[in-house]
Amino acid sequence: MKKIIIILAIAGVVFTIHSCKKNPMEKPTTENEQMLSRSQKVIALIRQFDAKLKNNLKSGEMITADSAVWNMEASLNYNYAISDSSAANLLVKKSFYSITVDANQMVLMDDVTTVYWQMDDTLNIQYNGIANPVKHVVFSDVTMDSVVGTTGYLSVATGFGLDLPRNYVPFAEDDDWIWGTLGGPLAGKCDGTEVGVSDGSNELQWRLNNPMPVSGEQIFYTDLETLWTNGWDFLDSNGNERLYVGWDYPEDNCLTNDLLTYYLQQSDDIIYTYDYDGGLRPPGKDFVRLEIIDDLAFNENQSWFYHLYLVTYGIPTQAPPPN
C-alpha cells in the first residue's frame, strides 16, 4: 500500500480552541532542531529493524519484549501512517497475536519477525477491506497486553481515517443531536431528522479529530498509548461531569448546540492539558486521534448513558522527504 498525501485547501469558519493553535512560528528553533535530531535517530533505528526483518537467515538474536513492541509499532507507523492528514471520520480495527517470552522478558528476533509480518499482512487486509475510496492509516498502536507463563499476548489497534476532512466549524443553532446510539442506525437530531447520518458523539468526534490543517513536514508517531476516560474522571468545581453523562436514563438525552459546545470545549481542554495540570495528556506526547464510544454504565439500582473517550497520544517524529 503506497502512501498518498492529499493536499486540500480548506476554507471555513474556525472554532478557536487549542487544536487550532498549531503555529510553527511560535516554537523556538532549538525545539525544531531537537525534534529533527530525535527524528533522525528514530528513523535510523527503524531502518536497522526493517533490515533485520528482511533478512531471512535465522539469527538466534534475543531482544527485550519492550524493544520488540517499540520497534514493531514504530515500523508500522513509519511505513504506513499518514498521521498529519485530516479525515472526517475515524475507524479503529483491532487484531491479536502471541509470542514466546522467556523468564527474563526476552524474545527471539526470529519470532518478532514472524509476528511483525503477520501484523503487516493484517493491516493491509484491513485497509483493502474498507470499501470507502478515501482512506488512509492514521496510527497503529501495538501493545503487550499480558504475559501468561511463557506466552506474551499482543494487540494492535489501527486507526483508519475515512472521507475527506470537513470545514472546522462551531455548532450552529440547529445543531441539537441525540446524545449517541446504542445499536441500530445513528440516532440523528432531536427533531427526528438526520437519522442514520450522525448523532451527538459523532458530531463531537469529527470536530476534535479535524483541527484546522497546517502545512508542514509529514510526521508519524512513536511510543503510542491510548488512554480511556469519561465524565466521572473529570469534574468541574461544583462536582459536575465535564464530559457527557446522561441524566434521565432510559431517555435518549437531547444535546443542544449549547451543551455540545460546552462538551467540545471541555473535551479540548482535557485532551490538550498535561496530566500534571489536571488534564489527560501524558508528558512529552502530542494528541493523535480519539474515538468516542457510546456506552451504558450500571451502578447498583442506577444506570447512565455516557461517552467513553479513547484518546491516542504519541511522540511526533518527522519523516524524511520522499525519494
PDB file of all heavy atoms in Angstrom, residues 6 8 10 82-91 132 134-138 159-168 205-211 213 288-290:
ATOM      1  N   ILE A   6      -2.856  13.824   0.273  1.00  0.00           N
ATOM      2  CA  ILE A   6      -3.792  14.695  -0.413  1.00  0.00           C
ATOM      3  C   ILE A   6      -3.705  16.073   0.217  1.00  0.00           C
ATOM      4  O   ILE A   6      -3.916  16.230   1.419  1.00  0.00           O
ATOM      5  CB  ILE A   6      -5.240  14.165  -0.294  1.00  0.00           C
ATOM      6  CG1 ILE A   6      -5.306  12.751  -0.882  1.00  0.00           C
ATOM      7  CG2 ILE A   6      -6.209  15.076  -1.009  1.00  0.00           C
ATOM      8  CD1 ILE A   6      -6.638  12.089  -0.672  1.00  0.00           C
ATOM      9  N   LEU A   8      -5.219  19.631   0.567  1.00  0.00           N
ATOM     10  CA  LEU A   8      -6.505  20.283   0.369  1.00  0.00           C
ATOM     11  C   LEU A   8      -6.448  21.720   0.815  1.00  0.00           C
ATOM     12  O   LEU A   8      -5.847  22.029   1.833  1.00  0.00           O
ATOM     13  CB  LEU A   8      -7.598  19.563   1.188  1.00  0.00           C
ATOM     14  CG  LEU A   8      -7.838  18.095   0.828  1.00  0.00           C
ATOM     15  CD1 LEU A   8      -8.802  17.499   1.826  1.00  0.00           C
ATOM     16  CD2 LEU A   8      -8.389  18.003  -0.569  1.00  0.00           C
ATOM     17  N   ILE A  10      -8.670  24.278   2.437  1.00  0.00           N
ATOM     18  CA  ILE A  10      -9.932  24.237   3.164  1.00  0.00           C
ATOM     19  C   ILE A  10     -10.222  25.614   3.709  1.00  0.00           C
ATOM     20  O   ILE A  10      -9.425  26.188   4.437  1.00  0.00           O
ATOM     21  CB  ILE A  10      -9.877  23.220   4.321  1.00  0.00           C
ATOM     22  CG1 ILE A  10      -9.639  21.829   3.729  1.00  0.00           C
ATOM     23  CG2 ILE A  10     -11.147  23.245   5.120  1.00  0.00           C
ATOM     24  CD1 ILE A  10      -9.565  20.760   4.780  1.00  0.00           C
ATOM     25  N   ILE A  82      -0.146   8.084   7.891  1.00  0.00           N
ATOM     26  CA  ILE A  82      -0.128   9.475   7.438  1.00  0.00           C
ATOM     27  C   ILE A  82      -0.849  10.259   8.525  1.00  0.00           C
ATOM     28  O   ILE A  82      -2.012  10.633   8.409  1.00  0.00           O
ATOM     29  CB  ILE A  82      -0.820   9.655   6.076  1.00  0.00           C
ATOM     30  CG1 ILE A  82      -0.257   8.659   5.054  1.00  0.00           C
ATOM     31  CG2 ILE A  82      -0.633  11.077   5.560  1.00  0.00           C
ATOM     32  CD1 ILE A  82      -0.962   8.699   3.711  1.00  0.00           C
ATOM     33  N   SER A  83      -0.165  10.474   9.642  1.00  0.00           N
ATOM     34  CA  SER A  83      -0.814  10.995  10.849  1.00  0.00           C
ATOM     35  C   SER A  83      -1.247  12.440  10.722  1.00  0.00           C
ATOM     36  O   SER A  83      -2.168  12.894  11.400  1.00  0.00           O
ATOM     37  CB  SER A  83       0.133  10.839  12.050  1.00  0.00           C
ATOM     38  OG  SER A  83       0.457   9.488  12.234  1.00  0.00           O
ATOM     39  N   ASP A  84      -0.570  13.224   9.876  1.00  0.00           N
ATOM     40  CA  ASP A  84      -0.894  14.647   9.793  1.00  0.00           C
ATOM     41  C   ASP A  84      -1.874  14.959   8.683  1.00  0.00           C
ATOM     42  O   ASP A  84      -2.017  16.094   8.270  1.00  0.00           O
ATOM     43  CB  ASP A  84       0.389  15.470   9.615  1.00  0.00           C
ATOM     44  CG  ASP A  84       1.203  15.000   8.409  1.00  0.00           C
ATOM     45  OD1 ASP A  84       0.891  13.940   7.861  1.00  0.00           O
ATOM     46  OD2 ASP A  84       2.160  15.710   8.040  1.00  0.00           O
ATOM     47  N   SER A  85      -2.568  13.964   8.179  1.00  0.00           N
ATOM     48  CA  SER A  85      -3.593  14.172   7.161  1.00  0.00           C
ATOM     49  C   SER A  85      -4.960  14.010   7.812  1.00  0.00           C
ATOM     50  O   SER A  85      -5.286  12.953   8.339  1.00  0.00           O
ATOM     51  CB  SER A  85      -3.427  13.158   6.024  1.00  0.00           C
ATOM     52  OG  SER A  85      -4.418  13.343   5.044  1.00  0.00           O
ATOM     53  N   SER A  86      -5.767  15.062   7.810  1.00  0.00           N
ATOM     54  CA  SER A  86      -7.066  15.026   8.476  1.00  0.00           C
ATOM     55  C   SER A  86      -8.054  14.172   7.682  1.00  0.00           C
ATOM     56  O   SER A  86      -7.902  13.958   6.480  1.00  0.00           O
ATOM     57  CB  SER A  86      -7.622  16.444   8.633  1.00  0.00           C
ATOM     58  OG  SER A  86      -6.808  17.213   9.481  1.00  0.00           O
ATOM     59  N   ALA A  87      -9.059  13.703   8.363  1.00  0.00           N
ATOM     60  CA  ALA A  87     -10.139  12.938   7.743  1.00  0.00           C
ATOM     61  C   ALA A  87     -11.411  13.216   8.529  1.00  0.00           C
ATOM     62  O   ALA A  87     -11.364  13.579   9.702  1.00  0.00           O
ATOM     63  CB  ALA A  87      -9.827  11.445   7.745  1.00  0.00           C
ATOM     64  N   ALA A  88     -12.555  13.042   7.867  1.00  0.00           N
ATOM     65  CA  ALA A  88     -13.821  13.341   8.532  1.00  0.00           C
ATOM     66  C   ALA A  88     -14.131  12.333   9.626  1.00  0.00           C
ATOM     67  O   ALA A  88     -14.688  12.677  10.671  1.00  0.00           O
ATOM     68  CB  ALA A  88     -14.956  13.372   7.506  1.00  0.00           C
ATOM     69  N   ASN A  89     -13.758  11.065   9.416  1.00  0.00           N
ATOM     70  CA  ASN A  89     -14.150  10.018  10.351  1.00  0.00           C
ATOM     71  C   ASN A  89     -12.961   9.131  10.706  1.00  0.00           C
ATOM     72  O   ASN A  89     -11.970   9.055   9.970  1.00  0.00           O
ATOM     73  CB  ASN A  89     -15.267   9.156   9.744  1.00  0.00           C
ATOM     74  CG  ASN A  89     -16.514   9.965   9.457  1.00  0.00           C
ATOM     75  OD1 ASN A  89     -17.108  10.555  10.347  1.00  0.00           O
ATOM     76  ND2 ASN A  89     -16.917  10.009   8.191  1.00  0.00           N
ATOM     77  N   LEU A  90     -13.078   8.458  11.839  1.00  0.00           N
ATOM     78  CA  LEU A  90     -12.039   7.542  12.300  1.00  0.00           C
ATOM     79  C   LEU A  90     -12.658   6.166  12.521  1.00  0.00           C
ATOM     80  O   LEU A  90     -13.681   6.031  13.187  1.00  0.00           O
ATOM     81  CB  LEU A  90     -11.422   8.042  13.608  1.00  0.00           C
ATOM     82  CG  LEU A  90     -10.342   7.140  14.215  1.00  0.00           C
ATOM     83  CD1 LEU A  90      -9.073   7.182  13.370  1.00  0.00           C
ATOM     84  CD2 LEU A  90     -10.031   7.555  15.650  1.00  0.00           C
ATOM     85  N   LEU A  91     -12.023   5.147  11.939  1.00  0.00           N
ATOM     86  CA  LEU A  91     -12.424   3.759  12.142  1.00  0.00           C
ATOM     87  C   LEU A  91     -11.262   3.019  12.772  1.00  0.00           C
ATOM     88  O   LEU A  91     -10.152   3.034  12.235  1.00  0.00           O
ATOM     89  CB  LEU A  91     -12.795   3.111  10.799  1.00  0.00           C
ATOM     90  CG  LEU A  91     -13.082   1.604  10.823  1.00  0.00           C
ATOM     91  CD1 LEU A  91     -14.338   1.305  11.646  1.00  0.00           C
ATOM     92  CD2 LEU A  91     -13.215   1.067   9.401  1.00  0.00           C
ATOM     93  N   ASN A 132     -14.614   2.298   1.542  1.00  0.00           N
ATOM     94  CA  ASN A 132     -14.527   3.738   1.304  1.00  0.00           C
ATOM     95  C   ASN A 132     -13.332   4.062   0.408  1.00  0.00           C
ATOM     96  O   ASN A 132     -12.213   3.649   0.695  1.00  0.00           O
ATOM     97  CB  ASN A 132     -14.370   4.455   2.653  1.00  0.00           C
ATOM     98  CG  ASN A 132     -14.687   5.930   2.554  1.00  0.00           C
ATOM     99  OD1 ASN A 132     -14.212   6.611   1.665  1.00  0.00           O
ATOM    100  ND2 ASN A 132     -15.489   6.433   3.484  1.00  0.00           N
ATOM    101  N   VAL A 134     -11.855   6.913  -0.014  1.00  0.00           N
ATOM    102  CA  VAL A 134     -10.981   7.899   0.614  1.00  0.00           C
ATOM    103  C   VAL A 134     -10.599   7.370   1.990  1.00  0.00           C
ATOM    104  O   VAL A 134     -11.400   7.370   2.918  1.00  0.00           O
ATOM    105  CB  VAL A 134     -11.663   9.278   0.733  1.00  0.00           C
ATOM    106  CG1 VAL A 134     -10.727  10.282   1.379  1.00  0.00           C
ATOM    107  CG2 VAL A 134     -12.116   9.770  -0.634  1.00  0.00           C
ATOM    108  N   LYS A 135      -9.361   6.895   2.110  1.00  0.00           N
ATOM    109  CA  LYS A 135      -8.944   6.250   3.362  1.00  0.00           C
ATOM    110  C   LYS A 135      -7.425   6.320   3.487  1.00  0.00           C
ATOM    111  O   LYS A 135      -6.702   6.389   2.489  1.00  0.00           O
ATOM    112  CB  LYS A 135      -9.394   4.786   3.376  1.00  0.00           C
ATOM    113  CG  LYS A 135      -8.881   3.978   2.186  1.00  0.00           C
ATOM    114  CD  LYS A 135      -9.501   2.594   2.109  1.00  0.00           C
ATOM    115  CE  LYS A 135      -9.017   1.862   0.850  1.00  0.00           C
ATOM    116  NZ  LYS A 135      -9.634   0.520   0.705  1.00  0.00           N
ATOM    117  N   HIS A 136      -6.946   6.334   4.714  1.00  0.00           N
ATOM    118  CA  HIS A 136      -5.517   6.235   4.976  1.00  0.00           C
ATOM    119  C   HIS A 136      -5.305   5.753   6.408  1.00  0.00           C
ATOM    120  O   HIS A 136      -6.195   5.849   7.254  1.00  0.00           O
ATOM    121  CB  HIS A 136      -4.814   7.582   4.753  1.00  0.00           C
ATOM    122  CG  HIS A 136      -5.200   8.653   5.731  1.00  0.00           C
ATOM    123  ND1 HIS A 136      -6.244   9.516   5.515  1.00  0.00           N
ATOM    124  CD2 HIS A 136      -4.680   8.996   6.940  1.00  0.00           C
ATOM    125  CE1 HIS A 136      -6.357  10.355   6.535  1.00  0.00           C
ATOM    126  NE2 HIS A 136      -5.413  10.054   7.418  1.00  0.00           N
ATOM    127  N   VAL A 137      -4.131   5.207   6.661  1.00  0.00           N
ATOM    128  CA  VAL A 137      -3.776   4.764   8.012  1.00  0.00           C
ATOM    129  C   VAL A 137      -3.347   5.985   8.825  1.00  0.00           C
ATOM    130  O   VAL A 137      -2.512   6.768   8.382  1.00  0.00           O
ATOM    131  CB  VAL A 137      -2.641   3.730   7.979  1.00  0.00           C
ATOM    132  CG1 VAL A 137      -2.232   3.331   9.398  1.00  0.00           C
ATOM    133  CG2 VAL A 137      -3.054   2.501   7.181  1.00  0.00           C
ATOM    134  N   VAL A 138      -3.932   6.137  10.011  1.00  0.00           N
ATOM    135  CA  VAL A 138      -3.581   7.241  10.901  1.00  0.00           C
ATOM    136  C   VAL A 138      -2.535   6.794  11.919  1.00  0.00           C
ATOM    137  O   VAL A 138      -1.546   7.471  12.168  1.00  0.00           O
ATOM    138  CB  VAL A 138      -4.824   7.783  11.628  1.00  0.00           C
ATOM    139  CG1 VAL A 138      -4.440   8.903  12.585  1.00  0.00           C
ATOM    140  CG2 VAL A 138      -5.865   8.269  10.622  1.00  0.00           C
ATOM    141  N   GLY A 159      -5.914   2.789  13.535  1.00  0.00           N
ATOM    142  CA  GLY A 159      -6.912   3.805  13.214  1.00  0.00           C
ATOM    143  C   GLY A 159      -6.830   4.178  11.739  1.00  0.00           C
ATOM    144  O   GLY A 159      -5.757   4.490  11.225  1.00  0.00           O
ATOM    145  N   PHE A 160      -7.978   4.126  11.068  1.00  0.00           N
ATOM    146  CA  PHE A 160      -8.057   4.488   9.659  1.00  0.00           C
ATOM    147  C   PHE A 160      -8.867   5.775   9.520  1.00  0.00           C
ATOM    148  O   PHE A 160      -9.981   5.874  10.055  1.00  0.00           O
ATOM    149  CB  PHE A 160      -8.733   3.375   8.845  1.00  0.00           C
ATOM    150  CG  PHE A 160      -7.992   2.066   8.848  1.00  0.00           C
ATOM    151  CD1 PHE A 160      -8.280   1.093   9.796  1.00  0.00           C
ATOM    152  CD2 PHE A 160      -7.007   1.816   7.909  1.00  0.00           C
ATOM    153  CE1 PHE A 160      -7.599  -0.114   9.806  1.00  0.00           C
ATOM    154  CE2 PHE A 160      -6.314   0.605   7.914  1.00  0.00           C
ATOM    155  CZ  PHE A 160      -6.604  -0.364   8.867  1.00  0.00           C
ATOM    156  N   GLY A 161      -8.313   6.750   8.827  1.00  0.00           N
ATOM    157  CA  GLY A 161      -9.052   7.963   8.530  1.00  0.00           C
ATOM    158  C   GLY A 161      -9.889   7.759   7.275  1.00  0.00           C
ATOM    159  O   GLY A 161      -9.390   7.260   6.261  1.00  0.00           O
ATOM    160  N   LEU A 162     -11.167   8.115   7.354  1.00  0.00           N
ATOM    161  CA  LEU A 162     -12.089   7.914   6.235  1.00  0.00           C
ATOM    162  C   LEU A 162     -12.737   9.233   5.822  1.00  0.00           C
ATOM    163  O   LEU A 162     -13.039  10.072   6.671  1.00  0.00           O
ATOM    164  CB  LEU A 162     -13.192   6.926   6.622  1.00  0.00           C
ATOM    165  CG  LEU A 162     -12.765   5.561   7.180  1.00  0.00           C
ATOM    166  CD1 LEU A 162     -13.985   4.742   7.529  1.00  0.00           C
ATOM    167  CD2 LEU A 162     -11.872   4.817   6.199  1.00  0.00           C
ATOM    168  N   ASP A 163     -12.961   9.398   4.536  1.00  0.00           N
ATOM    169  CA  ASP A 163     -13.661  10.556   3.961  1.00  0.00           C
ATOM    170  C   ASP A 163     -12.803  11.814   4.038  1.00  0.00           C
ATOM    171  O   ASP A 163     -11.930  11.950   4.905  1.00  0.00           O
ATOM    172  CB  ASP A 163     -15.019  10.796   4.637  1.00  0.00           C
ATOM    173  CG  ASP A 163     -15.945   9.598   4.498  1.00  0.00           C
ATOM    174  OD1 ASP A 163     -15.955   8.991   3.421  1.00  0.00           O
ATOM    175  OD2 ASP A 163     -16.632   9.267   5.480  1.00  0.00           O
ATOM    176  N   LEU A 164     -13.092  12.737   3.149  1.00  0.00           N
ATOM    177  CA  LEU A 164     -12.366  13.996   3.116  1.00  0.00           C
ATOM    178  C   LEU A 164     -12.664  14.809   4.372  1.00  0.00           C
ATOM    179  O   LEU A 164     -13.783  14.752   4.899  1.00  0.00           O
ATOM    180  CB  LEU A 164     -12.753  14.804   1.878  1.00  0.00           C
ATOM    181  CG  LEU A 164     -12.366  14.173   0.530  1.00  0.00           C
ATOM    182  CD1 LEU A 164     -12.893  15.032  -0.610  1.00  0.00           C
ATOM    183  CD2 LEU A 164     -10.860  13.999   0.414  1.00  0.00           C
ATOM    184  N   PRO A 165     -11.703  15.559   4.880  1.00  0.00           N
ATOM    185  CA  PRO A 165     -11.939  16.367   6.085  1.00  0.00           C
ATOM    186  C   PRO A 165     -13.009  17.424   5.845  1.00  0.00           C
ATOM    187  O   PRO A 165     -13.219  17.872   4.721  1.00  0.00           O
ATOM    188  CB  PRO A 165     -10.572  17.009   6.356  1.00  0.00           C
ATOM    189  CG  PRO A 165      -9.862  16.970   5.051  1.00  0.00           C
ATOM    190  CD  PRO A 165     -10.333  15.727   4.360  1.00  0.00           C
ATOM    191  N   ARG A 166     -13.682  17.795   6.922  1.00  0.00           N
ATOM    192  CA  ARG A 166     -14.729  18.815   6.837  1.00  0.00           C
ATOM    193  C   ARG A 166     -14.192  20.159   7.331  1.00  0.00           C
ATOM    194  O   ARG A 166     -13.220  20.212   8.070  1.00  0.00           O
ATOM    195  CB  ARG A 166     -15.925  18.422   7.698  1.00  0.00           C
ATOM    196  CG  ARG A 166     -16.445  17.008   7.465  1.00  0.00           C
ATOM    197  CD  ARG A 166     -17.621  16.723   8.397  1.00  0.00           C
ATOM    198  NE  ARG A 166     -17.943  15.312   8.410  1.00  0.00           N
ATOM    199  CZ  ARG A 166     -18.916  14.783   9.149  1.00  0.00           C
ATOM    200  NH1 ARG A 166     -19.640  15.571   9.929  1.00  0.00           N
ATOM    201  NH2 ARG A 166     -19.160  13.494   9.128  1.00  0.00           N
ATOM    202  N   ASN A 167     -14.844  21.229   6.917  1.00  0.00           N
ATOM    203  CA  ASN A 167     -14.506  22.534   7.466  1.00  0.00           C
ATOM    204  C   ASN A 167     -14.749  22.516   8.970  1.00  0.00           C
ATOM    205  O   ASN A 167     -15.800  22.066   9.440  1.00  0.00           O
ATOM    206  CB  ASN A 167     -15.366  23.634   6.838  1.00  0.00           C
ATOM    207  CG  ASN A 167     -14.965  23.906   5.401  1.00  0.00           C
ATOM    208  OD1 ASN A 167     -14.000  23.361   4.900  1.00  0.00           O
ATOM    209  ND2 ASN A 167     -15.726  24.743   4.735  1.00  0.00           N
ATOM    210  N   TYR A 168     -13.790  23.005   9.728  1.00  0.00           N
ATOM    211  CA  TYR A 168     -13.928  23.011  11.182  1.00  0.00           C
ATOM    212  C   TYR A 168     -14.788  24.195  11.583  1.00  0.00           C
ATOM    213  O   TYR A 168     -14.352  25.341  11.492  1.00  0.00           O
ATOM    214  CB  TYR A 168     -12.547  23.103  11.841  1.00  0.00           C
ATOM    215  CG  TYR A 168     -12.589  22.732  13.296  1.00  0.00           C
ATOM    216  CD1 TYR A 168     -12.262  21.452  13.713  1.00  0.00           C
ATOM    217  CD2 TYR A 168     -13.001  23.655  14.258  1.00  0.00           C
ATOM    218  CE1 TYR A 168     -12.309  21.100  15.045  1.00  0.00           C
ATOM    219  CE2 TYR A 168     -13.051  23.311  15.594  1.00  0.00           C
ATOM    220  CZ  TYR A 168     -12.704  22.032  15.978  1.00  0.00           C
ATOM    221  OH  TYR A 168     -12.765  21.686  17.306  1.00  0.00           O
ATOM    222  N   GLN A 205     -16.836  14.005  17.879  1.00  0.00           N
ATOM    223  CA  GLN A 205     -15.629  13.293  17.471  1.00  0.00           C
ATOM    224  C   GLN A 205     -15.010  13.877  16.208  1.00  0.00           C
ATOM    225  O   GLN A 205     -13.788  14.094  16.152  1.00  0.00           O
ATOM    226  CB  GLN A 205     -15.952  11.807  17.248  1.00  0.00           C
ATOM    227  CG  GLN A 205     -14.755  10.997  16.806  1.00  0.00           C
ATOM    228  CD  GLN A 205     -15.067   9.517  16.703  1.00  0.00           C
ATOM    229  OE1 GLN A 205     -15.344   8.859  17.702  1.00  0.00           O
ATOM    230  NE2 GLN A 205     -15.017   8.979  15.485  1.00  0.00           N
ATOM    231  N   TRP A 206     -15.818  14.154  15.182  1.00  0.00           N
ATOM    232  CA  TRP A 206     -15.197  14.628  13.943  1.00  0.00           C
ATOM    233  C   TRP A 206     -14.590  16.013  14.108  1.00  0.00           C
ATOM    234  O   TRP A 206     -13.574  16.342  13.491  1.00  0.00           O
ATOM    235  CB  TRP A 206     -16.166  14.557  12.760  1.00  0.00           C
ATOM    236  CG  TRP A 206     -17.204  15.631  12.601  1.00  0.00           C
ATOM    237  CD1 TRP A 206     -18.536  15.517  12.847  1.00  0.00           C
ATOM    238  CD2 TRP A 206     -17.012  16.958  12.086  1.00  0.00           C
ATOM    239  NE1 TRP A 206     -19.185  16.686  12.546  1.00  0.00           N
ATOM    240  CE2 TRP A 206     -18.278  17.591  12.071  1.00  0.00           C
ATOM    241  CE3 TRP A 206     -15.908  17.686  11.654  1.00  0.00           C
ATOM    242  CZ2 TRP A 206     -18.449  18.911  11.649  1.00  0.00           C
ATOM    243  CZ3 TRP A 206     -16.083  18.997  11.225  1.00  0.00           C
ATOM    244  CH2 TRP A 206     -17.342  19.587  11.218  1.00  0.00           C
ATOM    245  N   ARG A 207     -15.179  16.842  14.972  1.00  0.00           N
ATOM    246  CA  ARG A 207     -14.587  18.166  15.206  1.00  0.00           C
ATOM    247  C   ARG A 207     -13.254  18.051  15.945  1.00  0.00           C
ATOM    248  O   ARG A 207     -12.282  18.718  15.608  1.00  0.00           O
ATOM    249  CB  ARG A 207     -15.569  19.045  15.984  1.00  0.00           C
ATOM    250  CG  ARG A 207     -16.727  19.567  15.134  1.00  0.00           C
ATOM    251  CD  ARG A 207     -17.753  20.299  15.987  1.00  0.00           C
ATOM    252  NE  ARG A 207     -18.726  21.017  15.174  1.00  0.00           N
ATOM    253  CZ  ARG A 207     -19.798  20.470  14.619  1.00  0.00           C
ATOM    254  NH1 ARG A 207     -20.047  19.168  14.804  1.00  0.00           N
ATOM    255  NH2 ARG A 207     -20.629  21.204  13.888  1.00  0.00           N
ATOM    256  N   LEU A 208     -13.211  17.206  16.960  1.00  0.00           N
ATOM    257  CA  LEU A 208     -11.989  17.050  17.738  1.00  0.00           C
ATOM    258  C   LEU A 208     -10.871  16.395  16.917  1.00  0.00           C
ATOM    259  O   LEU A 208      -9.692  16.630  17.170  1.00  0.00           O
ATOM    260  CB  LEU A 208     -12.271  16.224  18.994  1.00  0.00           C
ATOM    261  CG  LEU A 208     -13.144  16.929  20.039  1.00  0.00           C
ATOM    262  CD1 LEU A 208     -13.681  15.926  21.054  1.00  0.00           C
ATOM    263  CD2 LEU A 208     -12.365  18.038  20.737  1.00  0.00           C
ATOM    264  N   ASN A 209     -11.242  15.588  15.925  1.00  0.00           N
ATOM    265  CA  ASN A 209     -10.252  14.943  15.073  1.00  0.00           C
ATOM    266  C   ASN A 209      -9.905  15.758  13.833  1.00  0.00           C
ATOM    267  O   ASN A 209      -9.063  15.334  13.035  1.00  0.00           O
ATOM    268  CB  ASN A 209     -10.752  13.565  14.622  1.00  0.00           C
ATOM    269  CG  ASN A 209     -10.578  12.510  15.698  1.00  0.00           C
ATOM    270  OD1 ASN A 209      -9.686  12.610  16.535  1.00  0.00           O
ATOM    271  ND2 ASN A 209     -11.426  11.512  15.686  1.00  0.00           N
ATOM    272  N   ASN A 210     -10.522  16.917  13.658  1.00  0.00           N
ATOM    273  CA  ASN A 210     -10.290  17.729  12.467  1.00  0.00           C
ATOM    274  C   ASN A 210      -9.897  19.149  12.816  1.00  0.00           C
ATOM    275  O   ASN A 210     -10.630  20.104  12.528  1.00  0.00           O
ATOM    276  CB  ASN A 210     -11.547  17.750  11.584  1.00  0.00           C
ATOM    277  CG  ASN A 210     -11.686  16.495  10.749  1.00  0.00           C
ATOM    278  OD1 ASN A 210     -11.274  16.441   9.596  1.00  0.00           O
ATOM    279  ND2 ASN A 210     -12.254  15.468  11.344  1.00  0.00           N
ATOM    280  N   PRO A 211      -8.743  19.327  13.454  1.00  0.00           N
ATOM    281  CA  PRO A 211      -8.286  20.705  13.671  1.00  0.00           C
ATOM    282  C   PRO A 211      -7.970  21.346  12.332  1.00  0.00           C
ATOM    283  O   PRO A 211      -7.826  20.671  11.318  1.00  0.00           O
ATOM    284  CB  PRO A 211      -7.021  20.523  14.513  1.00  0.00           C
ATOM    285  CG  PRO A 211      -6.544  19.160  14.145  1.00  0.00           C
ATOM    286  CD  PRO A 211      -7.777  18.340  13.920  1.00  0.00           C
ATOM    287  N   PRO A 213      -6.143  22.358   9.300  1.00  0.00           N
ATOM    288  CA  PRO A 213      -4.898  21.799   8.790  1.00  0.00           C
ATOM    289  C   PRO A 213      -3.801  22.851   8.670  1.00  0.00           C
ATOM    290  O   PRO A 213      -4.063  24.004   8.358  1.00  0.00           O
ATOM    291  CB  PRO A 213      -5.304  21.258   7.415  1.00  0.00           C
ATOM    292  CG  PRO A 213      -6.499  22.061   7.027  1.00  0.00           C
ATOM    293  CD  PRO A 213      -7.228  22.357   8.309  1.00  0.00           C
ATOM    294  N   VAL A 288      -3.013  12.520  19.022  1.00  0.00           N
ATOM    295  CA  VAL A 288      -3.039  11.948  17.675  1.00  0.00           C
ATOM    296  C   VAL A 288      -4.480  11.889  17.158  1.00  0.00           C
ATOM    297  O   VAL A 288      -4.826  12.560  16.192  1.00  0.00           O
ATOM    298  CB  VAL A 288      -2.398  10.543  17.658  1.00  0.00           C
ATOM    299  CG1 VAL A 288      -2.406   9.978  16.235  1.00  0.00           C
ATOM    300  CG2 VAL A 288      -0.970  10.597  18.194  1.00  0.00           C
ATOM    301  N   ARG A 289      -5.314  11.095  17.782  1.00  0.00           N
ATOM    302  CA  ARG A 289      -6.716  10.982  17.393  1.00  0.00           C
ATOM    303  C   ARG A 289      -7.507  10.444  18.586  1.00  0.00           C
ATOM    304  O   ARG A 289      -6.945   9.913  19.538  1.00  0.00           O
ATOM    305  CB  ARG A 289      -6.916  10.016  16.215  1.00  0.00           C
ATOM    306  CG  ARG A 289      -6.412  10.490  14.868  1.00  0.00           C
ATOM    307  CD  ARG A 289      -7.223  11.673  14.334  1.00  0.00           C
ATOM    308  NE  ARG A 289      -6.910  11.930  12.944  1.00  0.00           N
ATOM    309  CZ  ARG A 289      -5.866  12.590  12.493  1.00  0.00           C
ATOM    310  NH1 ARG A 289      -4.966  13.031  13.354  1.00  0.00           N
ATOM    311  NH2 ARG A 289      -5.674  12.810  11.211  1.00  0.00           N
ATOM    312  N   LEU A 290      -8.837  10.554  18.509  1.00  0.00           N
ATOM    313  CA  LEU A 290      -9.674   9.964  19.548  1.00  0.00           C
ATOM    314  C   LEU A 290     -10.876   9.268  18.941  1.00  0.00           C
ATOM    315  O   LEU A 290     -11.295   9.554  17.817  1.00  0.00           O
ATOM    316  CB  LEU A 290     -10.130  11.010  20.566  1.00  0.00           C
ATOM    317  CG  LEU A 290     -11.152  12.081  20.176  1.00  0.00           C
ATOM    318  CD1 LEU A 290     -12.578  11.552  20.205  1.00  0.00           C
ATOM    319  CD2 LEU A 290     -11.056  13.257  21.125  1.00  0.00           C
TER     320      LEU A 290
END
